[in-house]
Amino acid sequence: MSRFFATGSDSESEESSSADEIAPKAPGATFKPALLLSDDEEDTKRVVRSAKDKRFEELTNLIKTIRNAMKIRDMSKCLEEFEQLCRAFTKSKNIVDKEGVPSFYIRLLADLEDYLNQLWEDKEGKKKMNKNNAKALSTLRQKIRKYNRDYETEIAAYKENPQESADEEEEKEAADSGDSSGSDSDEPEERLTAQSFLKKKPEGIPDASKFLKGAKGSGDESSSSDEDEDDDEDWGSDSVGSGSESSDDGEGKSSSLASVFLKKTQESEKSEKKIGKKKKTKKKERIEEEPEEGEGEEVEGGWEKVKGGVPLVKEKPKMFAKGTEINIAVVVKKLNEILQARGKKGTDRAAQIELLHALAGIAAENNLGQGILVKIKFNIIASLYDYNPNLAAFMKPDMWKKCLECIDELLDILFDNNNIFIGENIAEDSENLGISDQPFRVRGCILTLVERMDEEFTKIMQNTDPHSQEYVDNLKDEGRVCGIIDRLLAYLENKGSTEEICRVYLRRIMHTYYKFDYKAHRRSLGLQGETKSEQDQEESEGEDSAVIMDRLCKFIYAKDRTDRIRTCAILCHIYHHALHSRWYQARDLMLMSHLQDNIQHADPPVQILYNRTMVQLGICAFRQGMIKDAHNALLDIQSSGRAKELLGQGLLMRNMQERNAEQEKIEKRRQVPFHMHINLELLECVYLVSAMLLEIPYMAAHEFDARRRMISKQFHHQLRVGERQPLLGPPESMREHVVAASKAMKMGDWRTCHSFIINEKMNSKVWDLFPETQRVREMLVRKIQEESLRTYLFTYSSVYDSISMETLSDMFELEISTVHSIISKMIINEELMASLDQPTQTVVMHRTEPTSLQNMALQLAEKLGSLVENNERVFDLKQGVYGGYFNRDQKGGYQQKQGYQRDQKGSYQQKQGGYQRGGYRNQNQSNY
């Protein structure tokens, strides 16, 4: 309390109070000089730093915290600080873009990843971790691996020459730019403030100029040698002493405090330089030690040696400790350990496959028996299938090759060892994998693996560009796939159940049904073009595809218990018959199966197969000259306008409302591979030509019939499109050729029609694609001549009184017997009102056909009747009563009776003219 009453005390009290006041100020003397030596503005300039310094200091502090957490293995803290570091680095993006990624940041990323990999490989250490740390370790490892992908080049450069990177960092620390990049202490910040003070003090306080010079001189001397540094320290202590004495004497507070501050500056500079020199000497010693250990290697060689901990992946196959006895139990335990990681997040699937291969090699080296080898092979193949977790993704070529090789090896083992029994119904507890008198029992299903292999092959073909060489190369693997299926078929015929045999038979059928058997075709034609060796080879290859299909399908018909396999087998059998022009067998099998009644309840792949079969059946009927059957078979597919989609050969563009993205993915997986496609242009041409041969004669016969029906809407649409064209040039597309041919046939000009249908352009587009091209073309010419004759008779019968059959024969280049049969059929079916005069071989026309005026009057009467009927319906709808003409009034009996008599009155005339036409229509409906 003495300092409050200092004014009223004597000199002794003043001395004591001043002593009391000065004594506690000595330790805090470093704070007040700043306030005394500089004003507020100067202090503000010293505190404010650039944005780069602020951001980099924030990053440096976070890196320090991470490194401290790494030292004590606190993974939770590491994870938390790393997330903060990533956020801070994102905030510094503008500065980083200008200055580049700082080296201390890259160094941390590389060190942290190596550190986490070492911890991950340390199995014992991981077991000792608590739950939170172990979870944080796995999370942080995934994050750092993902994060480091963006900095792979920088990290690689750092790892190639880490010493240079560290030296560069040291130089940055030593520079006066204020960069706090990689140091482990707060020295750079102290250095920055000291330097700013050294620049500012000579201007503000001239009394302390001698101390500043002394400080500078001491700095220069300290850089020369270590002995001078000791002298400077002694000199510095003297200056402190002098400063304290002057303060005690009261000669000037500002000068004494300045000296104290300058002493601190000198000490901070010296201590900083000492630490820097110690670091450099340590790194020099480390660099000198590495070449000695490497026996003359360079620094990079030393780094590779340090990095030697990373190639632990290569040592992974050494799964058993040295000296471990390798037996069945140990291998099974290791197998289960590997399989436990299957499907978990972060599991390296490729490494898992390598481990299983290594385990199989160890089992084979130690002669543990074929049982354990089969079990490992099963798991290797399953791991290969699991390599792509996404259903839509297909196997990469190297994985596909490995898969085929593994399945071949597995089948080799099964064929060589008859004492191995495999099946899905064998429990893991009842497996017998050891070598003993009992046969091996292994849980697994080889059929499921082969079916999955077949599906993977289909996916590979679906996802390959069909017009590339890669598709051809992939298609060559079908031979291996079929070979594996044949081997499995032979194995299951001896050891498999009936259900398994049916399944493998269906797989074999699916690879056979769409292929045309050229060898059998040449054999049936009796061609002997091959050499003797090729013939011998052909005979040794075995039976025709027709015999194979017949045998496999009949087994499924008899033994299969599931409707789906039998349905698929029937459809494939029909397709194969139709492909090889066995029309009657294919038609009879289709009619007997009654598949058309309930096919709409089948799953989409079976419906696609049904559509493909119907299309092939229609094309077969066309080749055989069954034009009506061909048209009926193709009508449903072609009339929908979605033939491409219904046959599984591509998707049409639709709105997102009709089909969302998920449905589109599912439909893409159902697509048929390109080598199984049916030519859509050929299909459309066959349909349009069939429709032309049916529709043009019918249109000529019912030219004036208002109620005539359309046989083919698509054909009429093409005709209308052709009529709308303002300028008719020579036909170019297939459709234009058919339309031009139809117009020629309508006029009875069969030669022009023939030239439009069969020419070089149409041959290359369509007709040359058939196996028996010449026979199809001859059939077409014959059909065009016959239908042109019928059209001519329908169109011009009213012009002739009689016409000679010989004239018709010459005009259409047909035999007289053919002309006679065609005209006889037309007369019998009441299509042509005429009679045959046998002695003169002429056709005598009967004038019973109405004239053009009469036809137009009949059409007008029918249209007026339909108009009256429509008016009655509209009136009834307004009144709210349906059929009101008969229910309108209870008293209207006489009107009803009168109307009934009116209807009866014209009945004979209707019978005379319209009934015959109606009869033909009804009859044609049953025929078509």
Side-chain angles (χ1 to χ4, degrees):
M1 296 294 291
S2 60
R3 45 186 182 170
F4 293 107
F5 301 99
T7 53
S9 63
D10 56 359
S11 61
E12 292 178 358
S13 63
E14 285 180 2
E15 290 176 359
S16 64
S17 64
S18 63
D20 291 338
E21 288 175 7
I22 293 169
K25 285 179 185 177
T30 55
F31 295 96
K32 287 193 176 181
L35 299 172
L36 291 170
L37 290 170
S38 60
D39 56 358
D40 293 339
E41 292 180 359
E42 289 178 349
D43 191 27
T44 306
K45 287 180 183 177
R46 293 187 194 105
V47 172
V48 170
R49 295 186 301 278
S50 65
K52 173 185 170 184
D53 295 339
K54 284 184 180 179
R55 293 296 185 195
F56 280 12
E57 183 184 355
E58 183 183 3
L59 295 176
T60 308
N61 293 335
L62 290 169
I63 287 171
K64 283 183 207 168
T65 313
I66 291 173
R67 290 193 181 278
N68 291 335
M70 287 164 64
K71 289 175 185 175
I72 60 173
R73 292 197 173 192
D74 188 355
M75 291 295 104
S76 301
K77 185 70 174 173
C78 274
L79 176 60
E80 181 183 348
E81 294 298 324
F82 179 72
E83 289 173 349
Q84 289 186 10
L85 181 66
C86 293
R87 287 194 289 270
F89 189 77
T90 306
K91 289 179 184 176
S92 310
K93 189 174 184 305
N94 294 332
I95 297 169
V96 170
D97 291 342
K98 291 179 184 176
E99 304 291 335
V101 182
S103 58
F104 63 85
Y105 191 72
I106 297 298
R107 182 182 178 189
L108 175 83
L109 293 179
D111 293 348
L112 184 57
E113 186 175 12
D114 293 342
Y115 173 75
L116 293 175
N117 287 334
Q118 288 175 5
L119 283 185
W120 190 261
E121 299 300 332
D122 186 8
K123 304 288 183 184
E124 299 299 326
K126 279 170 66 177
K127 289 179 183 176
K128 292 177 184 176
M129 281 185 183
N130 61 26
K131 186 176 179 182
N132 291 335
N133 268 354
K135 187 176 179 182
L137 173 62
S138 63
T139 307
L140 182 56
R141 182 169 172 265
Q142 290 176 7
K143 284 193 174 186
I144 195 73
R145 286 171 67 185
K146 185 176 179 182
Y147 191 78
N148 282 5
R149 287 176 195 162
D150 298 332
Y151 306 99
E152 285 179 351
T153 54
E154 291 89 347
I155 293 172
Y158 167 75
K159 287 188 175 180
E160 284 176 7
N161 206 346
Q163 200 59 46
E164 286 186 10
S165 301
D167 291 341
E168 287 175 8
E169 199 172 328
E170 291 288 335
E171 290 172 8
K172 286 184 180 178
E173 287 177 4
D176 56 355
S177 61
D179 186 7
S180 59
S181 54
S183 62
D184 294 335
S185 65
D186 296 333
E187 292 166 8
E189 188 175 350
E190 292 175 3
R191 187 183 71 243
L192 178 70
T193 57
Q195 287 170 354
S196 61
F197 275 125
L198 285 172
K199 290 176 183 176
K200 295 290 179 182
K201 281 170 191 168
E203 298 174 7
I205 305 166
D207 297 336
S209 61
K210 55 184 178 180
F211 293 107
L212 291 173
K213 289 177 183 176
K216 289 179 183 176
S218 66
D220 296 336
E221 289 172 359
S222 64
S223 63
S224 62
S225 65
D226 295 336
E227 294 176 0
D228 295 337
E229 285 180 7
D230 298 333
D231 297 338
D232 294 335
E233 287 174 4
D234 297 337
W235 182 85
S237 63
D238 294 340
S239 66
V240 175
S242 64
S244 61
E245 287 173 2
S246 62
S247 64
D248 291 333
D249 295 338
E251 291 176 358
K253 286 184 179 180
S254 61
S255 62
S256 65
L257 291 175
S259 65
V260 171
F261 180 78
L262 290 173
K263 184 204 74 164
K264 291 288 180 182
T265 308
Q266 291 166 357
E267 285 181 359
S268 63
E269 280 188 0
K270 288 173 187 174
S271 61
E272 184 183 344
K273 290 184 179 179
K274 277 184 182 180
I275 292 169
K277 285 194 173 185
K278 283 179 184 177
K279 283 186 179 179
K280 288 187 179 179
T281 52
K282 282 182 183 178
K283 292 195 175 181
K284 284 180 182 176
E285 290 172 3
R286 193 169 64 204
I287 295 170
E288 290 170 0
E289 287 173 4
E290 285 174 357
E292 291 174 3
E293 292 172 1
E295 296 180 359
E297 291 181 354
E298 295 178 0
V299 180
E300 290 182 2
W303 171 250
E304 288 178 2
K305 196 159 189 177
V306 172
K307 197 180 170 183
V310 177
L312 286 172
V313 181
K314 296 180 181 176
E315 298 176 3
K316 273 186 183 177
K318 297 179 181 178
M319 289 169 285
F320 302 106
K322 194 172 182 181
T324 305
E325 183 183 358
I326 307 297
N327 54 28
I328 298 290
V330 172
V331 173
V332 171
K333 183 180 177 184
K334 180 58 69 174
L335 177 64
N336 290 331
E337 283 180 14
I338 296 170
L339 295 179
Q340 280 174 0
R342 179 179 171 189
K344 288 185 179 178
K345 190 176 180 181
T347 304
D348 189 353
R349 299 183 185 87
Q352 200 176 31
I353 293 167
E354 292 300 324
L355 286 174
L356 290 171
H357 275 293
L359 192 62
I362 291 170
E365 285 174 10
N366 291 275
N367 297 321
L368 297 181
Q370 300 297 330
I372 187 67
L373 202 58
V374 168
K375 186 173 180 63
I376 295 172
K377 289 285 182 189
F378 268 117
N379 288 295
I380 288 173
I381 298 167
S383 299
L384 287 168
Y385 291 146
D386 289 346
Y387 188 77
N388 285 328
N390 190 359
L391 276 175
F394 60 99
M395 292 180 78
K396 299 294 182 288
D398 53 342
M399 290 294 172
W400 170 245
K401 301 291 182 190
K402 282 183 186 177
C403 179
L404 292 178
E405 289 169 5
C406 287
I407 293 175
D408 268 329
E409 290 170 6
L410 182 58
L411 286 170
D412 288 337
I413 296 171
L414 294 177
F415 274 111
D416 294 340
N417 301 274
N418 291 324
N419 59 342
I420 299 177
F421 291 95
I422 58 174
E424 289 177 310
N425 53 354
I426 298 173
E428 290 189 1
D429 299 337
S430 62
E431 284 184 325
N432 181 24
L433 304 174
I435 301 174
S436 62
D437 297 335
Q438 299 295 325
F440 294 109
R441 289 171 60 83
V442 183
R443 176 180 173 81
C445 181
I446 183 68
L447 176 59
T448 306
L449 295 180
V450 172
E451 285 179 335
R452 178 70 188 273
M453 174 205 69
D454 195 22
E455 291 168 6
E456 289 293 339
F457 176 72
T458 304
K459 279 201 285 188
I460 289 172
M461 301 312 294
Q462 285 173 344
N463 289 278
T464 309
D465 180 13
H467 305 293
S468 63
Q469 183 61 34
E470 185 185 0
Y471 191 90
V472 178
D473 295 337
N474 290 338
L475 191 56
K476 290 176 184 176
D477 289 335
E478 191 181 17
R480 290 188 68 183
V481 172
C482 292
I484 289 171
I485 292 174
D486 285 335
R487 293 183 69 192
L488 179 64
L489 188 147
Y491 176 77
L492 291 178
E493 281 177 347
N494 295 326
K495 294 190 175 182
S497 63
T498 306
E499 183 184 353
E500 290 177 332
I501 293 172
C502 288
R503 283 164 63 188
V504 75
Y505 274 7
L506 182 62
R507 288 286 163 185
R508 186 68 183 88
I509 288 167
M510 296 298 284
H511 279 278
T512 307
Y513 81 98
Y514 63 90
K515 296 175 184 172
F516 188 81
D517 194 348
Y518 285 97
K519 294 173 184 175
H521 179 63
R522 284 195 294 267
R523 215 174 289 151
S524 65
L525 295 176
L527 298 176
Q528 301 294 330
E530 296 85 8
T531 61
K532 188 175 180 181
S533 60
E534 288 179 345
Q535 283 184 347
D536 295 339
Q537 183 182 358
E538 185 176 294
E539 290 174 1
S540 65
E541 282 178 359
E543 50 199 355
D544 295 341
S545 62
V547 180
I548 296 172
M549 288 288 295
D550 196 56
R551 175 169 57 83
L552 300 181
C553 291
K554 284 182 177 176
F555 182 88
I556 292 176
Y557 300 158
K559 303 288 185 181
D560 180 58
R561 296 175 185 174
T562 63
D563 288 337
R564 190 182 187 280
I565 292 178
R566 186 168 60 250
T567 301
C568 290
I570 291 171
L571 290 172
C572 292
H573 204 182
I574 295 168
Y575 190 104
H576 195 263
H577 279 316
L579 189 64
H580 293 83
S581 300
R582 294 189 286 272
W583 157 250
Y584 291 104
Q585 292 96 314
R587 183 197 63 182
D588 295 344
L589 193 55
M590 176 61 81
L591 293 176
M592 285 190 295
S593 65
H594 295 285
L595 288 174
Q596 60 271 25
D597 298 336
N598 53 11
I599 193 65
Q600 67 271 16
H601 302 301
D603 54 340
V606 178
Q607 290 185 14
I608 289 172
L609 181 58
Y610 173 80
N611 292 337
R612 285 166 53 80
T613 303
M614 288 302 298
V615 163
Q616 199 60 246
L617 201 60
I619 294 172
C620 174
F622 181 81
R623 288 200 304 267
Q624 299 301 313
M626 312 287 183
I627 303 299
K628 289 181 183 177
D629 294 313
H631 182 270
N632 290 337
L634 300 176
L635 179 62
D636 291 336
I637 301 294
Q638 285 298 124
S639 60
S640 65
R642 298 186 299 127
K644 185 178 183 180
E645 194 170 356
L646 294 174
L647 296 175
Q649 296 181 186
L651 298 179
L652 299 175
M653 295 296 292
R654 288 198 191 175
N655 297 330
M656 291 302 291
Q657 297 173 354
E658 297 181 22
R659 178 175 60 209
N660 56 29
E662 191 63 31
Q663 288 175 338
E664 190 166 349
K665 285 181 184 177
I666 294 169
E667 289 187 16
K668 279 183 179 177
R669 289 202 291 269
R670 294 179 186 142
Q671 299 302 299
V672 178
F674 183 76
H675 63 280
M676 299 170 64
H677 282 193
I678 296 170
N679 192 316
L680 294 176
E681 191 172 19
L682 180 143
L683 172 62
E684 187 178 10
C685 181
V686 166
Y687 174 75
L688 289 177
V689 170
S690 301
M692 177 189 76
L693 295 174
L694 295 175
E695 190 79 68
I696 297 299
Y698 180 77
M699 288 168 65
H702 300 81
E703 187 177 1
F704 301 105
D705 189 355
R707 292 179 295 175
R708 74 174 182 216
R709 62 186 180 85
M710 283 190 291
I711 297 174
S712 170
K713 289 184 179 179
Q714 190 181 5
F715 177 73
H716 276 275
H717 173 68
Q718 295 300 331
L719 286 180
R720 284 195 296 272
V721 169
E723 289 171 0
R724 285 198 206 110
Q725 289 181 355
L727 180 63
L728 283 177
E732 294 180 0
S733 65
M734 176 271 300
R735 294 174 181 174
E736 291 176 357
H737 277 87
V738 176
V739 170
S742 303
K743 291 178 179 177
M745 181 182 280
K746 204 170 182 182
M747 305 301 294
D749 186 358
W750 76 272
R751 288 184 179 85
T752 307
C753 178
H754 167 247
S755 66
F756 281 130
I757 292 294
I758 299 174
N759 51 52
E760 288 185 5
K761 191 178 284 188
M762 291 291 286
N763 286 344
S764 61
K765 283 186 177 181
V766 180
W767 310 124
D768 287 343
L769 302 177
F770 287 120
E772 300 175 356
T773 306
Q774 192 57 36
R775 195 169 67 83
V776 172
R777 281 198 284 258
E778 290 172 359
M779 179 274 299
L780 263 178
V781 173
R782 184 83 173 180
K783 288 292 178 183
I784 288 171
Q785 289 171 335
E786 292 176 359
E787 297 304 326
S788 296
L789 172 60
R790 296 181 73 237
T791 306
Y792 185 82
L793 290 174
F794 283 134
T795 306
Y796 301 108
S797 60
S798 58
V799 178
Y800 289 99
D801 288 328
S802 63
I803 186 170
S804 171
M805 281 192 288
E806 189 175 351
T807 305
L808 292 174
S809 174
D810 294 338
M811 188 184 296
F812 293 97
E813 295 184 7
L814 291 169
E815 299 86 0
I816 293 181
S817 57
T818 307
V819 174
H820 186 277
S821 67
I822 291 171
I823 294 173
S824 300
K825 284 180 186 175
M826 292 174 70
I827 293 170
I828 291 169
N829 294 330
E830 297 182 354
E831 295 172 349
L832 184 65
M833 296 297 107
S835 59
L836 286 173
D837 187 15
Q838 198 68 32
T840 57
Q841 292 287 310
T842 56
V843 183
V844 180
M845 303 296 176
H846 299 169
R847 291 292 180 183
T848 56
E849 291 292 326
T851 62
S852 299
L853 183 61
Q854 290 172 336
N855 276 320
M856 291 173 70
L858 285 172
Q859 288 180 25
L860 180 61
E862 287 177 358
K863 286 179 180 178
L864 288 172
S866 63
L867 182 63
V868 170
E869 197 174 326
N870 288 334
N871 284 337
E872 290 290 335
R873 278 206 197 99
V874 170
F875 183 76
D876 291 338
L877 288 172
K878 285 184 178 179
Q879 295 296 322
V881 182
Y882 183 70
Y885 180 71
F886 291 99
N887 299 324
R888 195 181 304 157
D889 192 2
Q890 291 291 333
K891 299 179 182 178
Y894 176 75
Q895 291 179 353
Q896 291 172 10
K897 193 173 182 182
Q898 194 174 10
Y900 178 75
Q901 288 173 353
R902 241 191 346 261
D903 289 340
Q904 287 288 332
K905 190 174 180 181
S907 61
Y908 177 75
Q909 293 178 357
Q910 289 175 4
K911 276 185 183 179
Q912 190 73 22
Y915 179 73
Q916 291 177 353
R917 288 199 300 274
Y920 172 71
R921 186 177 303 111
N922 294 332
Q923 194 174 8
N924 279 337
Q925 282 179 351
S926 62
N927 290 335
Y928 286 115

